[in-house]
Amino acid sequence: MLTPDLAANLAIDALRLVLLIVFVLIVPGLLTGVLVSLFQAATQINEQTMSFLPRLMVTLLALALAGHWVADRLMHYTVEIFTRAAQLVG
């Protein structure tokens, strides 16, 4: 039977996984954006492609490097959810 505590635990696990995946994929792009912004402020170069392209490349690189790990975490979470669902039914 699904109790409020169990439902809260499922939601917390899902949010934790989402935050972890977002952290791995977004933070490198954010750090790159800060570095590029500092460089642009120091040199007074305000080119839009200079701020967009490095963030895009770093985000794609992070996705390429961490993609296998992200897919693995998502598959483990999916298996865990189905296992918990089977235990709830009986």
Side-chain angles (χ1 to χ4, degrees):
M1 176 174 219
L2 185 63
T3 63
D5 290 335
L6 186 57
N9 286 338
L10 290 174
I12 288 171
D13 289 345
L15 286 174
R16 188 176 296 133
L17 181 63
V18 167
L19 287 175
L20 187 63
I21 290 171
V22 165
F23 183 77
V24 167
L25 295 179
I26 298 297
V27 168
L30 289 174
L31 293 176
T32 303
V34 168
L35 291 175
V36 169
S37 295
L38 288 173
F39 177 75
Q40 284 181 328
T43 61
Q44 295 183 353
I45 298 173
N46 290 324
E47 181 65 31
Q48 289 296 326
T49 56
M50 188 174 175
S51 65
F52 176 73
L53 215 54
R55 286 185 310 186
L56 176 66
M57 297 306 288
V58 167
T59 303
L60 289 176
L61 180 67
L63 184 60
L65 293 176
H68 179 72
W69 178 81
V70 168
D72 185 57
R73 296 296 303 169
L74 286 171
M75 284 190 290
H76 282 341
Y77 181 73
T78 303
V79 169
E80 181 182 337
I81 288 295
F82 280 114
T83 304
R84 285 184 183 179
Q87 290 173 354
L88 287 175
V89 172

